[in-house]
Amino acid sequence: MHYIGLDLAWGEKRPTGVAVLDGDGRLLEVASRVTDDEIAAALAPYDDVDCLVAIDAPLIVVNPTGNRLCEAALNADFGRFEAGCHPANTGKPEFADGTRAARLCERLGLDLAPGSTAHRRAIEVYPHPATISLFRLGRTLKYKNRPGRTMEEMRSALLELVGHLRSLADAEVPLHLEHHGGWLDLVRSLEEAERKVDLRRAEDQVDAVLCAYLALYRQTVPERTTVYGDGETGYIVTPTLPEGHEAAPLDPRGVVPETPVVLPDEDAMTRLVRSYAAGHSSLQSATDGFVAMLTDLLDQSGINYLSVSGRAKGIASFAAKAGRLREGRPMFPDPLHDITDQIGLRVITYLRGDVDVVARVLHGEFEVLDDRDLGLQTASEGRFGYASRHLVVRLREGEGTEEMRARPAQVQVRTVLQHAWAEFEHATRYKGVVPDEHVRDLDRRFTLAAGLLELADQEFSAIHERLQGSSYTPPPGLPSSLGIGTEDLAQFLTERYIEAGWSRPDHYEWVSGLLLELGITSIAALAVVLDSVDEEEVTAHMGYKYPPGAVRRLDDSLLAIFGERYLALHGNEHRADLLRSRLDRILEH
């Protein structure tokens, strides 16, 4: 048996939330759809299975005006909790020719009778009174968009509902959500939403999950549910109002004492933001220090990357994040400590394999507090979408400056193609205005683009592996006073150090200049020089924590061969201390 929830829009221009549970209350699917065709397609995998579909929309409407009898009866019990129904009647255009819900049920082969025992059937439900009964709320949660409600108030209320749904994991009729990646993404979108329309899209899906649970609840403990109305004039099924449960009185400010929403103290928030602003220049300095340190680490390891960038979190962005609420309480009780992306770094690589290498560098050089590969999480759920590796790192004792050691840094590592998708997707969804009727089509297109870019990433890696395994013939001719060309050098090093990764193009040009200072002006001469040292022994002395790039391998071999002369080259002046440390390591052995 499957249990399906539909937070059904009355028309086909607004999104509808869709959720599916299995017989054990485990979430199988949560999504947003717009048209009846899209809803039917989403439920197509369940066409041939027994199911109970709970629909938040009128199923049966025959009264020409006013409330349906079921609405009037339900309002008598739940009106004082502010959980009454909106009137549905045939005088409204949406119901003049029947209901959308009934037409959809006919298409899906669902019996509408309230007492039906058919294998495939539907019931009408209403989330607001259900939350009053299930969670013993004093009044409804105010997550719907109404005049005068702020976005943070709506977000807080919706996250409170999320918290209540999560709490059902241990209930007699359980609901299991945390295993489902789509649900986790949905909650994350609530926490990060920047506009009310973003909350609205998420709200429909959260309501759909609740509707699916109401179907499971009705099937499992029917004696604990009440059917208001009948199959002739319309009906609504909801968990029975607990005996003696009363509505919470409103105080003069309109706050419900039993379920208070604890908003951040305005004066405290003002002081917090002022404190953050006062230290922002220091934060920017720390960010610059992290960028320089990370760039140097990647350069010294010889990794081929596109860019390293960083930003200190803006004051307005910090204030907005510090003020976020979950279940009526601050998400970050100590924002200056709990918000870990005050320093944000980003490394863009060319190849997917280099993302892992960069992560290994971070693990080797920093204390890593958190490491999440969001691309793997997405793929493990059989989906295409956002792909990036997120690490939170902190300097070890005695490293860097005091302002750098004062707080952690978040590092995002991804390929250039993953970065292009993420930036465009973020700009479109969060910075642009996407009408509801276009959401589903854009979702499909973004998914298609993500799949194509993942394929392109795989092909780039395959090209790289093919070239690494190719043979190289040194170009004919005499040594040139202009030195070894960077393309020839890159090809030679690729053949000589087959297991090493590619290095940055500017690094080949830089090391070519060092070779010219040493008087090595041809590939043939370089090969002779390198053959004079045991490069495997050099590698053992270095004790690399991560796979070195080709230029790094050459750099260490030249250091081992020429020693002090190599240190004295003009091109090495900026890193003399670092090379001295490496040379000592070689000489110790």
Side-chain angles (χ1 to χ4, degrees):
M1 187 81 170
H2 287 76
Y3 302 94
I4 299 171
L6 296 179
D7 182 43
L8 186 66
W10 286 9
E12 290 195 45
K13 291 185 177 180
R14 291 187 175 276
T16 287
V18 181
V20 182
L21 306 178
D22 66 12
D24 295 322
R26 290 176 59 84
L27 183 64
L28 301 179
E29 180 175 349
V30 60
S32 177
R33 299 291 184 264
V34 177
T35 67
D36 287 353
D37 287 343
E38 292 175 351
I39 296 170
L43 299 181
Y46 312 100
D47 277 349
D48 299 325
V49 300
D50 293 356
C51 66
L52 175 57
V53 183
I55 303 176
D56 176 19
L59 283 177
I60 302 167
V61 179
V62 295
N63 50 300
T65 60
N67 287 309
R68 294 179 294 166
L69 294 178
C70 60
E71 293 163 350
L74 185 145
N75 291 350
D77 283 344
F78 289 94
R80 61 185 183 276
F81 297 91
E82 299 179 338
C85 300
H86 295 292
N89 55 67
T90 58
K92 294 186 174 184
E94 299 93 337
F95 309 120
D97 298 317
T99 69
R100 182 189 184 189
R103 290 189 292 271
L104 191 59
C105 287
E106 182 178 4
R107 179 172 180 173
L108 298 175
L110 304 173
D111 187 358
L112 302 186
S116 174
T117 58
H119 295 295
R120 295 176 58 81
R121 57 192 186 277
I123 57 174
E124 180 182 335
V125 297
Y126 186 35
H128 274 332
T131 61
I132 299 297
S133 297
L134 287 174
F135 310 125
R136 292 182 175 266
L137 302 181
R139 290 183 184 274
T140 54
L141 299 172
K142 305 301 189 286
Y143 57 87
K144 300 290 185 180
N145 189 12
R146 298 288 185 269
R149 288 182 189 167
T150 68
M151 180 169 172
E152 286 307 320
E153 289 171 341
M154 293 165 57
R155 187 206 310 273
S156 174
L158 193 50
L159 287 172
E160 184 174 349
L161 176 57
V162 167
H164 285 304
L165 291 174
R166 282 172 162 166
S167 72
L168 293 172
D170 298 321
E172 181 181 347
V173 181
L175 174 65
H176 302 292
L177 304 171
E178 298 308 303
H179 67 284
H180 195 278
W183 168 261
L184 298 178
D185 289 344
L186 179 63
V187 175
R188 191 179 303 117
S189 73
L190 291 178
E191 296 172 345
E192 298 177 355
E194 297 180 359
R195 301 174 301 160
K196 286 186 176 181
V197 67
D198 300 321
L199 288 180
R200 169 61 190 272
R201 296 191 189 106
E203 165 205 315
D204 297 327
Q205 297 176 68
V206 174
D207 275 347
V209 171
L210 175 56
C211 290
Y213 180 75
L214 295 178
L216 173 65
Y217 193 87
R218 169 67 174 175
Q219 176 69 15
T220 307
V221 286
E223 69 279 4
R224 299 183 194 173
T225 62
T226 298
V227 179
Y228 293 90
D230 55 49
E232 297 295 325
T233 62
Y235 68 93
I236 300 172
V237 178
T238 193
T240 301
L241 182 64
E243 186 176 354
H245 184 50
E246 296 295 334
L250 289 173
D251 69 15
R253 296 170 298 167
V255 178
V256 182
E258 284 78 356
T259 55
V261 174
V262 182
L263 295 173
D265 178 76
E266 183 176 354
D267 292 337
M269 180 62 73
T270 299
R271 291 193 298 271
L272 173 69
V273 172
R274 286 177 179 170
S275 175
Y276 184 76
H280 200 261
S281 60
S282 175
L283 185 68
Q284 184 61 59
S285 178
T287 302
D288 294 340
F290 269 106
V291 170
M293 176 181 284
L294 184 53
T295 300
D296 185 60
L297 285 172
L298 297 182
D299 285 346
Q300 293 303 325
S301 66
I303 295 173
N304 186 22
Y305 64 92
L306 175 63
S307 64
V308 178
S309 60
R311 64 99 184 97
K313 196 173 190 66
I315 297 170
S317 178
F318 174 83
K321 195 164 188 176
R324 289 181 182 175
L325 304 173
R326 178 187 285 130
E327 299 180 19
R329 300 190 179 279
M331 288 177 59
F332 305 101
D334 183 2
L336 290 175
H337 177 269
D338 298 338
I339 296 177
T340 57
D341 66 340
Q342 296 173 45
I343 295 176
L345 308 175
R346 182 174 292 152
V347 180
I348 307 300
T349 71
Y350 291 100
L351 300 174
R352 292 175 62 183
D354 289 332
V355 171
D356 294 332
V357 176
V358 172
R360 291 175 64 179
V361 171
L362 294 172
H363 275 274
E365 302 295 336
F366 297 92
E367 179 185 354
V368 176
L369 306 178
D370 188 34
D371 183 355
R372 292 184 297 151
D373 192 329
L374 302 185
L376 284 181
Q377 291 181 17
T378 301
S380 68
E381 297 155 8
R383 300 185 295 117
F384 294 102
Y386 182 76
S388 182
R389 189 146 177 189
H390 290 191
L391 302 95
V392 177
V393 304
R394 183 166 57 196
L395 288 181
R396 296 191 174 102
E397 188 65 30
E399 297 181 347
T401 64
E402 183 177 353
E403 56 194 5
M404 292 170 65
R405 293 192 299 271
R407 55 182 62 81
Q410 184 190 81
V411 188
Q412 297 179 359
V413 190
R414 54 191 182 225
T415 70
V416 63
L417 293 181
Q418 291 170 345
H419 179 62
W421 188 93
E423 288 295 287
F424 186 71
E425 195 264 357
H426 180 80
T428 301
R429 292 190 188 278
Y430 295 104
K431 306 300 182 185
V433 178
V434 181
D436 288 341
E437 60 267 26
H438 297 324
V439 170
R440 292 305 310 157
D441 182 58
L442 288 181
D443 285 346
R444 184 182 69 85
R445 292 176 184 274
F446 273 121
T447 299
L448 176 62
L452 291 172
L453 291 179
E454 182 173 319
L455 180 61
D457 262 336
Q458 293 174 0
E459 291 304 307
F460 286 164
S461 297
I463 291 170
H464 173 260
E465 292 172 4
R466 176 71 62 85
L467 291 178
Q468 278 198 302
S470 63
S471 60
Y472 172 69
T473 302
L478 297 174
S480 169
S481 61
L482 298 178
I484 302 172
T486 55
E487 291 185 6
D488 289 337
L489 180 61
Q491 292 180 35
F492 171 75
L493 295 181
T494 297
E495 169 66 15
R496 187 171 187 92
Y497 305 118
I498 295 176
E499 75 285 1
W502 287 351
S503 297
R504 285 170 58 85
D506 56 324
H507 288 183
Y508 290 102
E509 182 176 356
W510 163 73
V511 81
S512 181
L514 296 179
L515 292 172
L516 191 58
E517 282 195 71
L518 291 169
I520 302 172
T521 58
S522 72
I523 292 294
L526 177 59
V528 171
V529 168
L530 294 178
D531 287 343
S532 68
V533 70
D534 186 341
E535 293 187 291
E536 294 303 321
E537 185 177 345
V538 172
T539 297
H541 292 337
M542 287 296 102
Y544 301 118
K545 299 176 182 177
Y546 27 79
V551 169
R552 172 64 188 270
R553 289 288 305 276
L554 173 61
D555 190 35
D556 287 337
S557 293
L558 293 174
L559 179 62
I561 295 168
F562 293 98
E564 295 290 342
R565 181 185 171 190
Y566 192 65
L567 263 69
L569 296 178
H570 294 295
N572 283 331
E573 287 179 347
H574 67 289
R575 60 188 194 123
D577 291 341
L578 176 64
L579 288 178
R580 169 65 64 186
S581 175
R582 281 202 221 157
L583 182 58
D584 290 344
R585 195 181 309 167
I586 293 174
L587 295 177
E588 285 175 359
H589 296 79

